Amino acid sequence: MLEIKNLVKRYGKGAPVLKDLNLLVQGEQLMSIIGSSGAGKSTLLRCVNRLVEPTEGSITLNGTDITKLAAKDLRRARRRIGMVFQGFNLVDRLSVMENVQSGRLGYISTWAAITRRYPAADIERAFELMERVGIAQYADKRADELSGGERQRVGVVRALMQRPEILLADEPTASLDPKTSEQIMTLLRDLARELNLPVIINIHNVTEAKEFSDRIVGMRYGRIIFDDKPAALDAAQMDEIYAGTPSEDRQEIGAVA
């Protein structure tokens, strides 16, 4: 269970990016966070694993308050939080298997990582996950030889190699074509259910959010103004979430009945 209480994030002396935000996430659900640029979606996601430092409030994952951890304990806690990035964040010159095994760096010795002597159990687990997402045949291929969809699948497997208690995905389909985007969203939804894993996605495409999510959270100016099932998101609430958004920025949002 992830519980966020009274979360505030302020950069310098400016207005807060996140304003007294409260959120509870539990169970095998895929939750999408929507909102216009600047709403605080990415900041919220990155506060959860402290890639961004919260200014105030608490973020508790299964009993551990992430915001109170010092460096060593924070590194351990981050092993429990998988992250999938918009830009994939792969090492292009390394093979798919080597990129996937980087998800185990918090668990193996420095010597094993440097010499790439991965434990047999980790290799077996990697092949199982790669087979599950359809990239096992690329295990020895360099990451820069893959398509965007294949690279994102590598990112998903790398995150799952951590055996995370929660999976965060920051715009995981933004760099992909529509067909591949649907495939990645289907994969994330199915994995949430198969692994009993909460998945939180920051996403611009509301049509995809409505189709693949169990829950949608709408943000505006650092606050949550909508939190419900996709079927409850209607045109009036969309107007409230995206009020004042330039029309050219809304083209990717999608239609809402």
Side-chain angles (χ1 to χ4, degrees), residues 176-195:
L176 307 176
D177 63 78
K179 181 178 180 180
T180 306
S181 294
E182 290 187 4
Q183 292 171 346
I184 293 297
M185 290 296 291
T186 299
L187 175 63
L188 291 171
R189 179 193 62 194
D190 293 348
L191 288 171
R193 295 170 182 174
E194 291 171 19
L195 302 176

Side-chain angles (χ1 to χ4, degrees), residues 234-251:
D234 60 24
Q237 288 155 338
M238 280 286 291
D239 285 342
E240 184 178 0
I241 294 168
Y242 290 97
T245 304
S247 58
E248 60 270 21
D249 291 340
R250 299 188 63 170
Q251 292 178 358

Side-chain angles (χ1 to χ4, degrees), residues 54-244:
T55 305
E56 299 174 21
S58 64
I59 301 172
T60 304
L61 177 63
N62 293 332
T64 301
D65 187 347
I66 305 296
T67 62
K68 296 185 182 303
L69 299 179
K72 184 176 181 180
D73 290 332
L74 177 59
R75 286 194 296 271
R76 290 174 178 165
R78 280 177 172 156
R79 299 186 305 192
R80 300 155 54 194
I81 306 171
M83 185 80 175
V84 178
F85 299 90
Q86 174 183 341
F88 315 128
N89 282 25
L90 304 182
V91 181
D92 287 342
R93 62 182 176 80
L94 296 183
S95 70
V96 168
M97 176 60 79
E98 289 167 326
N99 272 282
V100 163
Q101 290 297 334
S102 67
R104 298 298 296 169
L105 293 181
Y107 296 89
I108 64 176
S109 69
T110 302
W111 174 250
I114 292 173
T115 59
R116 300 175 190 173
R117 295 182 178 179
Y118 309 117
D122 288 350
I123 295 175
E124 182 179 358
R125 168 76 171 164
F127 272 117
E128 289 175 355
L129 290 171
M130 288 191 291
E131 182 69 34
R132 169 62 186 84
V133 307
I135 58 170
Q137 68 272 31
Y138 302 133
D140 296 325
K141 203 168 186 177
R142 279 176 53 126
D144 57 5
E145 297 176 346
L146 304 181
S147 69
E150 292 162 351
R151 288 165 67 83
Q152 194 56 287
R153 285 176 170 83
V154 175
V156 170
V157 173
R158 176 184 58 195
L160 293 179
M161 285 294 292
Q162 298 175 220
R163 297 187 182 273
E165 297 171 18
I166 192 168
L167 181 64
L168 312 177
D170 192 11
E171 296 286 354
T173 64
S175 303
L176 307 176
D177 63 78
K179 181 178 180 180
T180 306
S181 294
E182 290 187 4
Q183 292 171 346
I184 293 297
M185 290 296 291
T186 299
L187 175 63
L188 291 171
R189 179 193 62 194
D190 293 348
L191 288 171
R193 295 170 182 174
E194 291 171 19
L195 302 176
N196 191 28
L197 184 69
V199 178
I200 304 178
I201 297 179
N202 165 18
I203 188 170
H204 272 296
N205 191 312
V206 177
T207 301
E208 288 184 353
K210 285 177 67 70
E211 181 177 356
F212 295 102
S213 305
D214 301 299
R215 175 183 175 191
I216 292 179
V217 167
M219 293 184 63
R220 186 182 181 202
Y221 300 145
R223 300 185 187 277
I224 293 175
I225 62 172
F226 177 87
D227 185 353
D228 210 332
K229 294 182 179 180
L233 182 65
D234 60 24
Q237 288 155 338
M238 280 286 291
D239 285 342
E240 184 178 0
I241 294 168
Y242 290 97

Side-chain angles (χ1 to χ4, degrees), residues 6-77:
N6 307 121
L7 183 65
V8 175
K9 175 58 187 176
R10 179 184 287 106
Y11 293 97
K13 297 181 179 180
V17 178
L18 300 177
K19 304 172 183 176
D20 200 30
L21 190 145
N22 293 278
L23 186 66
L24 182 66
V25 183
Q26 54 190 338
E28 52 181 65
Q29 61 175 286
L30 190 153
M31 186 185 85
S32 289
I33 305 174
I34 64 172
S36 59
S37 298
K41 305 186 303 297
S42 289
T43 300
L44 171 58
L45 218 62
R46 289 169 180 265
C47 278
V48 172
N49 57 12
R50 281 181 56 187
L51 290 177
V52 168
E53 287 290 343
T55 305
E56 299 174 21
S58 64
I59 301 172
T60 304
L61 177 63
N62 293 332
T64 301
D65 187 347
I66 305 296
T67 62
K68 296 185 182 303
L69 299 179
K72 184 176 181 180
D73 290 332
L74 177 59
R75 286 194 296 271
R76 290 174 178 165

